[in-house]
């Protein structure tokens, strides 16, 4: 099959980008001609654009306009579709850079939309209000009255939403990353919706755990990721286990404030800030981890760092939000704690870091589940089957 993958970004940075890049390579291994179309915007300066085709993108104030009306994307994609003539189009993120203008171009082709963030049902993509509470509103004037958007951005993003609503039913299938997301999308009149879990590359199991006990975190240093809660919990843990270490990998707009918080909590000797790391460097650094923490405050659609840790053989403690309850078997492959509850997180950390045998046991069970349920091969073959079903149905109704 000739498969065109479309994503806002073509850099090997965060979860959605890594997933689409690995899918492209694995589809090629299965003998398919898979190519990626993205913007040329970079989420991290150190990470180059790796797509086959690209158009204009930016991370400036102009982005609110380009994600709504990106004429470069329209004309570049039109040429790609004319020259490549894909059998099927797989759209992932497209409302941060590429804009809804791609949808009329895609309409003549069999296609699917894999929803990896909440941008289709929330202008800011998180379904979280500024006060940190879950948003249960339908987008509209409430996005302005709740201070989620400025008046200037609200006007433009409501236009984006109208364009999206006009063309959103042109996809043959919508794919969600978890069942809660599936229900939310169906409530917004998106259908049919199928759930496909992400996958991660197989790797060797990490070495046997050694002292000192090490906790790790990887992700954007932004408020919804819950690193403040992790630092608060870790400060409680250090009072009991003063040798414990915390490694934090990532960059983001909360970085300076988090450094200040670690200093205020007296954690300068216990916390190491790794900054941005490539996937391979991160895995090498995290081989020593006793536990990986995913303290998200929002309904994170999946959380690839969870299955990456599981594949490594590392126990996971995660907030019981989004896909995490579907990924983690409580007490078997990891532990779930209420979001924003530093004391509950500290208690779970102490349980694992105070018992090396239990940390080993949980980590090994997590790895086995990752091999069975969250492998890159399973992820790829799931999509190949979906492509075949869409094409069969499309050809049957022509």
């Amino acid at each position: 099959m000739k498969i065109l993958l479309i994503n806002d970004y073509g850099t090997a940075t965060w979860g959605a980008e890594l997933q689409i890049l690995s899918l492209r390579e694995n589809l090629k291994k299965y003998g398919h001609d898979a190519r990626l179309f993205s913007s040329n915007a970079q989420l991290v300066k150190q990470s180059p654009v790796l797509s086959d085709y690209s158009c204009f993108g930016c991370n400036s104030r102009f982005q609110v306009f380009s994600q709504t009306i990106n004429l470069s994307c329209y004309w570049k994609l039109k040429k790609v579709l004319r020259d490549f003539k894909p059998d099927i189009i797989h759209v992932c993120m497209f409302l941060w850079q590429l804009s809804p203008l791609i949808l009329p171009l895609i309409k003549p082709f069999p296609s699917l939309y894999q929803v990896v963030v909440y941008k289709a049902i929330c202008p800011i993509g998180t379904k979280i209000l500024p006060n940190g509470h879950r948003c249960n509103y339908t987008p509209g004037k409430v996005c302005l009255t709740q201070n989620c958007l400025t008046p200037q951005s609200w006007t433009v993003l409501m236009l984006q939403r109208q364009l999206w609503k006009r063309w959103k039913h042109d996809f043959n299938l919508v794919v969600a990353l978890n069942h809660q997301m599936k229900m939310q999308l169906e409530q917004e009149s998106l259908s049919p919706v199928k759930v496909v879990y992400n996958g991660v590359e197989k790797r060797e199991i990490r070495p046997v755990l050694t002292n000192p006990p090490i906790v790790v975190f990887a992700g954007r240093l932004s408020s919804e990721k819950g690193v403040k809660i992790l630092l608060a919990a870790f400060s409680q843990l250090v009072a009991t286990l003063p040798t414990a270490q915390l490694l934090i990998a990532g960059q983001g707009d909360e970085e300076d404030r988090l450094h200040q918080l670690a200093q205020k909590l007296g954690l300068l000797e216990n916390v190491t800030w790794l900054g941005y790391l490539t996937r391979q460097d991160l895995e090498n650094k995290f081989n020593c981890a006793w536990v990986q923490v995913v303290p998200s405050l929002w309904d994170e659609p999946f959380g690839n760092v969870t299955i990456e840790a599981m594949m490594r053989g590392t126990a996971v403690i995660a907030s019981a939000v989004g896909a995490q309850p579907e990924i983690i078997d409580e007490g078997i492959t990891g532990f779930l704690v209420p979001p924003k509850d530093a004391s509950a997180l500290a208690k779970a950390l102490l349980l694992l870091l105070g018992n090396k045998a239990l940390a080993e046991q949980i980590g090994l069970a997590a790895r086995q589940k990752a091999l069975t349920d969250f492998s890159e091969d399973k992820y790829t073959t799931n999509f190949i089957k979906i492509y075949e079903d869409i094409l069969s149905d499309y050809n049957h109704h022509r």
Side-chain angles (χ1 to χ4, degrees), residues 143-163:
C143 303
L144 191 59
T145 59
Q146 291 290 330
N147 298 313
C148 297
L149 300 173
T150 64
Q152 297 86 346
S153 62
W154 180 85
T155 301
V156 179
L157 291 176
M158 287 303 105
L159 171 60
Q160 183 197 60
R161 178 164 172 80
Q162 289 306 311
L163 293 174

Side-chain angles (χ1 to χ4, degrees), residues 54 82 112 245 298 308 310 395:
S54 64
R82 184 183 67 234
L112 68 92
Q245 295 292 309
W298 67 303
E308 289 167 2
M310 292 169 67
N395 291 327

Side-chain angles (χ1 to χ4, degrees), residues 4-23:
L4 183 64
L5 305 170
I6 295 178
N7 197 60
D8 279 317
Y9 301 96
T11 53
T13 43
W14 310 123
E17 293 75 43
L18 291 169
Q19 286 289 308
I20 206 74
L21 288 167
S22 68
L23 179 60

Side-chain angles (χ1 to χ4, degrees), residues 127-304:
K127 293 296 286 183
I128 291 288
L129 297 171
N131 61 13
H133 295 155
R134 180 181 294 170
C135 175
N136 295 313
Y137 298 108
T138 298
K141 287 185 179 179
V142 69
C143 303
L144 191 59
T145 59
Q146 291 290 330
N147 298 313
C148 297
L149 300 173
T150 64
Q152 297 86 346
S153 62
W154 180 85
T155 301
V156 179
L157 291 176
M158 287 303 105
L159 171 60
Q160 183 197 60
R161 178 164 172 80
Q162 289 306 311
L163 293 174
W164 159 238
K165 288 174 67 176
R166 178 178 178 179
W167 293 312
K168 69 180 182 179
H169 297 294
D170 290 338
F171 291 106
N172 297 88
L173 180 71
V174 176
V175 173
L177 299 187
N178 66 71
H179 288 88
Q180 177 183 301
M181 175 182 261
K182 170 183 164 73
M183 288 190 293
Q184 288 177 290
L185 296 175
E186 288 173 340
Q187 288 170 2
E188 290 281 331
S189 303
L190 278 170
S191 64
V193 181
K194 184 179 180 68
V195 173
V196 176
Y197 293 137
N198 282 347
V200 65
E201 183 180 7
K202 292 180 183 179
R203 53 150 287 175
E204 294 296 319
I205 192 169
R206 48 99 185 131
V208 173
L209 300 178
T210 59
N211 287 314
I214 294 175
V215 181
V216 297
F217 167 88
R220 287 188 307 279
L221 301 184
S222 52
S223 59
E224 74 275 6
K225 291 293 187 177
V227 185
K228 286 183 181 179
I229 303 300
L230 171 57
L231 289 172
F234 192 71
S235 68
Q236 295 179 36
L237 174 75
V238 167
T240 304
L241 288 176
T243 61
Q245 295 292 309
L246 171 61
L247 308 182
I248 297 178
Q251 296 177 335
D253 55 14
E254 287 280 303
E255 192 166 350
D256 290 341
R257 285 185 285 273
L258 292 171
H259 280 252
Q260 292 167 12
L261 177 60
Q263 183 176 12
K264 181 180 178 181
L265 293 171
L267 296 175
L268 291 182
E269 299 298 319
N270 299 84
V271 179
T272 301
W273 304 88
L274 301 174
Y276 169 75
L277 296 175
T278 66
R279 171 76 182 281
Q280 188 57 56
D281 287 344
L282 186 144
E283 286 298 309
N284 291 337
K285 285 284 187 182
F286 283 13
N287 265 335
C288 59
W290 286 39
V291 59
Q292 184 150 341
V293 179
V294 186
S296 298
L297 305 183
W298 67 303
D299 289 328
E300 195 153 7
F302 197 77
N304 292 320

Side-chain angles (χ1 to χ4, degrees), residues 250-382:
Q251 296 177 335
D253 55 14
E254 287 280 303
E255 192 166 350
D256 290 341
R257 285 185 285 273
L258 292 171
H259 280 252
Q260 292 167 12
L261 177 60
Q263 183 176 12
K264 181 180 178 181
L265 293 171
L267 296 175
L268 291 182
E269 299 298 319
N270 299 84
V271 179
T272 301
W273 304 88
L274 301 174
Y276 169 75
L277 296 175
T278 66
R279 171 76 182 281
Q280 188 57 56
D281 287 344
L282 186 144
E283 286 298 309
N284 291 337
K285 285 284 187 182
F286 283 13
N287 265 335
C288 59
W290 286 39
V291 59
Q292 184 150 341
V293 179
V294 186
S296 298
L297 305 183
W298 67 303
D299 289 328
E300 195 153 7
F302 197 77
N304 292 320
V305 292
T306 301
I307 59 172
E308 289 167 2
M310 292 169 67
M311 186 63 77
R312 188 189 317 124
T314 302
V316 178
I317 302 173
S319 298
V321 294
Q324 300 303 326
E326 297 179 34
I327 300 172
I328 294 172
D329 294 330
E330 172 67 20
I332 299 173
T333 63
F335 294 100
L336 296 165
V337 296
K340 304 181 184 179
D341 192 334
S343 295
L345 177 53
K347 183 178 179 181
L349 283 169
L350 183 60
L351 182 64
L352 286 170
L353 300 188
N355 188 337
K356 187 190 295 185
L358 179 62
E360 287 278 11
Q361 175 187 323
I362 296 283
L364 292 175
R367 176 172 170 81
Q368 190 55 53
K369 180 163 186 179
L371 289 168
T372 303
D373 295 345
F374 305 118
S375 72
E376 211 170 48
D377 284 342
K378 183 169 185 177
Y379 176 73
T380 305
T381 55
N382 279 340

